[in-house]
């Protein structure tokens, strides 16, 4: 199967190139960028020297759909809204990594993204690819909306508790931290090395566009879920997200019971590893891999749960989950091309 | 005034040496370590070459109290309990940076520290030195119990809201993050460079010994404060703590109002800087200084407050606040020796 | 083919586990440690949770050689000297990652390693596995001595120039820098996070045990090579080595000519990438991969060459090159299991 | 004495603000920026909140010289050439931190800086402020040209050996490494956090503009000094420079003798600390301070010296040395305002 990557100069795009180049079923056919034409990818990314001879090309939807079986869209939000429909010709399947097709409610999109939303028909067609909880729909999807990095960690961390109605759905607080690759390749003072090194910052307080995405999915599972508090921080690391999640238990429940519930929920999901009770994952323990590791505690003093979920934001939080979804969309083994171990240390 | 430092090989001790060596009123007289005798401090700390000729000496309480006006105890918990009483002779004043004298309830100490508590009379004498909120008592203290690093950031962040009964005292959640100097100089796999670099970890989930210290002070301000949820994480940085604090508002209150309340509460406190509304501090913005910077928001969607407090854990969280307290105990200007700007970048 | 790893708790061992677990021809059969017995590898390395069910076992050479086709020895120096001969039974092939079998001159070993050398017969049998320059011998090796991390970068960087007699062999200066994973997993103050973070150090000045290893190979290529100056520094990063090499040109030679000589020398070596003239590699551009990237300049002002070689010290500098050698020893494609791209960013 | 800082938004300027704000004799009077007017300095630097109320103002040379006793120029190269002469009115003294006034040979300036040089009369007036080796001239200077960061470390490291003719002046190789604050506050892909973190790079190979500055001073000490090889690398740290210097000994000389020569040379220089033989400084051991620490070895195998000099590039390599020079120019104690200890860890 031939795959194209659009938006190949961003960090999500470059990670797709890495994964597709060693995938047993997909072949990386061509790479595109809105800002380049016939420029070697190595100009931007010298680590690709001699191993990625493909030039970056101008985006030509017709050519792409004629030549490729699947297109990965790793473009900034705003671009997928109009590119996606054009790419759905000729039976080409589309996996969109942007935020454009995630929110079903266009008012939400306008409010949080401050951009014009996609057409209703496009949004309707888009399947939300939180793989572990939507495998059946993903199987039949032509247009896949890949979840955001923070929502992936948060939702995988909350799913079993929400679905089992174990926690109070009105008091969920998520304190999330991300490595700076999540902020992309665009230059800014915030992530200038001398300013971010040995630093730690909170940003977009109560204003992050991933809030409605998380709430939409939580409410799909349990319509009584109230507005969440969700904070995002920047860690002085390259890759990795940790979501530390707090919620009161609905009824008293022991840590053992909650842990059991999580083990059960993810027993068939290769990429979600529920850690033994008492053990919590560090972000480095999933670096470079598609795993989401989860640790759990219930504090008897407070009757509150603490749930910790970690992912590599460029893998399970972006390119890795996109490949996982594409695998399922094409009937390939879900883990194909994704069995690499975390890089440790 | 002559000052001694006991426990001079730890990071708290070495920071005291730095501050005392450039203090206008205190003179660094001598330094002590339980594990060394007549060994140059430069053996452990070559950065002191040529500027700190003092040898590390064996702890001799009688000699120390005869020769010095003030003793700073920067020893591990367990040691201050019995050293403090011995050092209170000859009008010497004692500033203890350990956790031994912070908890008034000896059962709490036993439970959280898993050690034998200090004598009741010693505990009674000890004044808790959260300077901004206890200046009057500090003035008259002979035995000063310096707050923990996490409690300092957390309590300064919560004080105005708790005292004004602005937030719900039963649902306080604190997600705290610290640089690894807070874990001390003792070697461990956890903070081995190759394991901590590019990593981020949660630790002591629901079990950190600073929990009862925070609750004790919060309850002193408002007896209705319930058990808090308090999580600690390790940042891959050397210095700095951020406490991200979440609580529902008791009554609806705007961010503007809450911010005003904080500005008012700290208007006379040089070392607490409440940032303009909409601005949140990064930990690097206080590095090397004694400042605690605070940012505030109230989310109208959730009616919850997000309060962010940052400090340098070795300064306002340890040695800096200890000097600040000592200044007050000796009637010196509170900021003496502490007016250094943050080191930025 | 079944593979065993001895010394599986060190960083070299854990990287071998990562590579062997995704190798198309080798199967990771069992893992051993001198200090453990029947302990899950995940106790030390939680990133292996659910993906490496093998327990660490006590080293039993007879059992190992009966069951396995190849053994990787990732033990500290001193241990391979006596383990290697025992493992060469039953046609098992041995790849030794330690420094024990690299120096042919036992006096050199005693002087630089300060330990007892291996038996002469063992040393004689051992083939030095600087793959790109010794493929023929490696093909027939039963006992493979894998090069050190610094020697790999240095020798690959110097080989074409030395062999072509382009540079003055009496004035070679190598300024090498390594990430701290090279210092191993053993705890030490030097690589305690708070001391190494935001730091940079030189160590073992003129005393590093890799000096005789480099000189031995250089002199094998050109017997007129004099003693080298070789300095090692610790970078505050996890992985990566850069060797910056300086030498006067023997005759005036342009950068273009020297560059051409390197392109030619490595044109058939997949893992050595000579960068375009004017471009120099950063260590991150090979992270997680088996590549050695080389950049070259000749300064017309000084008639000296500057040659820069970078590797991932745990890959091309240890486990990666070990697999590369094993591939050749077993007649497998040289790049099998090693085609993963660098992880960037 | 009233001091002004021009170029206050750069890292050199912000460090001058930090030092001048705690200086016993100089008062920070006003701060200027070419790109701002009447903008609070806290807009760019929130760490100055409440402690630096000065607004950034448009550069007005006449006003500045009327109001201030000394002006620090922390502007990019190219700007000082024309600003300096205008600021030398009214007995105002000028300390220029840029590279504009360092090279006496205007052809060199044009070649290496690729800009138009300053007027000959300005260059003639400018005194090169490598303080430890030029105190007498500095005393009488009105226009002070502050050395570059790399030259400061390199020249302090080489001075005693060159002046004593201990090393071969024709074969000097300097491998220098710098923290990224040296690259300034301007955004670039090179120092984007995700690209520089866990990375290490060489840059401007054989082309750094500090090469002629170093050679000019070396040749002033010994006219037989030949062209040097000087390489610059970027460390993933904020502050700190290490210059690792290599040179053959002219005559055989022991490490003990060379070390003694250095001890003697710097015995009266507070800010240069020659470490005990066998000990080498890490960059963190001078962080935040004005010290230059030096370690020395002579390798008997090669008869070559290895000399290591470390500084904080923003302190002894920029703002710190500028204040040190200003102190001398105004007859103040050389160490005034600069006695702060290194910040460790």
């Amino acid at each position: 199967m031939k795959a194209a990557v659009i938006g190949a100069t961003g960090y999500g795009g470059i990670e797709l190139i890495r994964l597709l180049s060693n995938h047993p079923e997909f072949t990386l056919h061509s790479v595109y960028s809105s800002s380049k034409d016939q420029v070697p990818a190595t100009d931007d990314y010298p680590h690709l020297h001699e191993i990625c001879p493909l030039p970056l090309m101008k985006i030509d939807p017709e050519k792409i759909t004629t030549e490729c079986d699947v297109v990965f869209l790793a473009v900034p939000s705003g671009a997928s809204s109009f590119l996606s429909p054009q790419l759905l010709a000729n039976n080409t399947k589309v996996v969109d990594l942007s935020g454009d097709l995630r929110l079903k409610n266009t008012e939400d999109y306008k409010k949080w993204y401050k951009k014009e939303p996609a057409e209703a028909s496009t949004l309707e067609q888009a399947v939300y690819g939180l793989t572990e909880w939507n495998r059946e729909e993903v199987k039949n999807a032509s247009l896949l909306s890949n979840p955001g990095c923070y929502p992936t960690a948060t939702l995988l961390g909350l799913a079993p508790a929400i679905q089992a109605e174990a926690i109070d759905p009105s008091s969920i607080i998520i304190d999330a931290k991300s490595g700076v690759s999540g902020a992309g390749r665009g230059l800014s003072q915030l992530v200038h090395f001398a300013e971010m090194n040995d630093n730690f910052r909170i940003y977009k307080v109560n204003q992050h566009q991933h809030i409605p995405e998380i709430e939409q999915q939580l409410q799909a599972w349990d319509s009584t879920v109230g507005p969440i508090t969700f904070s995002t921080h920047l860690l002085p690391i390259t890759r990795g997200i940790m979501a530390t999640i707090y919620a009161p238990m609905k009824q008293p429940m022991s840590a053992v019971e909650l842990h059991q519930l999580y083990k059960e929920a993810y027993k068939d999901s290769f990429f979600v590893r529920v850690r033994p009770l008492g053990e919590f994952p560090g972000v480095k323990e999933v670096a470079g891999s598609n795993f989401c590791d989860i640790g759990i505690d219930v504090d008897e003093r407070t009757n509150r749960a603490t749930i910790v979920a970690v992912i590599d934001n460029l893998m399970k939080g972006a390119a890795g989950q996109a490949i996982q979804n594409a695998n399922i969309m094409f009937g390939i083994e879900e883990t194909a091309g994704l069995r690499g171990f975390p890089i440790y240390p």
Side-chain angles (χ1 to χ4, degrees), chain A residues 321-333:
Chain A
Q321 186 159 245
I323 300 288
Q324 186 184 359
N325 282 321
N327 286 342
I328 294 176
M329 289 160 78
F330 283 87
I332 305 169
E333 220 286 297

Side-chain angles (χ1 to χ4, degrees), chain A residues 116-196:
Chain A
E116 278 309 297
E119 297 286 329
S121 61
T122 307
L123 290 175
E124 206 168 305
Q125 199 177 350
V127 170
Y128 188 65
L130 186 70
T131 331
E132 281 71 17
W133 295 99
N134 212 16
R135 280 192 189 91
E136 286 314 304
E137 274 199 78
V138 170
K139 241 179 236 177
N140 303 310
S142 295
L143 176 57
L144 191 293
S145 174
N146 211 53
C149 50
Y150 285 123
T152 296
T154 303
L155 292 168
L156 291 175
L158 275 167
I162 287 288
Q163 297 189 10
E165 298 188 8
I167 57 175
D168 176 354
S170 70
S171 300
I172 299 169
I173 290 177
I174 302 131
D175 188 282
K177 303 92 176 169
S178 175
V180 297
S181 63
R185 203 176 194 223
L187 303 181
S188 84
Q189 207 72 55
L190 181 68
V191 293
H192 193 51
F193 186 86
E195 316 250 336
M196 193 62 224

Side-chain angles (χ1 to χ4, degrees), chain A residues 204-318:
Chain A
K204 287 194 187 177
V205 178
N206 293 318
Q207 290 170 21
H208 201 286
Q209 71 277 11
H210 286 168
I211 291 173
E213 181 180 344
I214 295 169
E215 290 180 348
Q216 171 181 279
Q217 181 60 61
L218 292 178
Q219 285 161 1
W221 288 329
D222 176 351
S223 61
T224 70
V225 169
I228 59 170
T229 291
F230 175 75
S231 289
T232 46
H233 304 73
L234 273 187
L235 289 164
I237 68 174
T238 304
R239 287 162 177 253
I241 280 178
M242 180 182 287
T244 315
I245 303 168
Y246 305 97
M249 303 309 293
K250 233 176 171 169
Q251 323 288 342
M253 185 187 249
S254 72
V256 172
E257 289 167 299
L258 186 63
H259 183 257
Q260 187 51 41
L261 196 151
Y262 272 71
K263 289 296 288 184
E264 186 62 26
Y266 288 118
K267 70 175 191 296
D268 297 325
S269 290
F270 179 77
F271 291 121
V272 182
R273 306 189 296 186
V274 179
R275 292 295 189 80
L277 199 57
E279 186 177 312
F280 287 83
V283 296
K284 202 182 187 113
E285 289 155 19
V286 296
S289 83
N290 199 47
F291 291 106
C292 173
D293 281 17
I294 296 177
I296 279 159
D297 191 36
V298 177
D299 184 9
E300 292 183 10
R301 294 173 67 248
T302 60
N303 197 35
R304 287 187 202 115
T306 303
I307 303 162
V308 173
V310 302
I311 58 169
D312 179 326
N313 56 300
L314 294 179
M315 287 292 294
K316 185 63 177 168

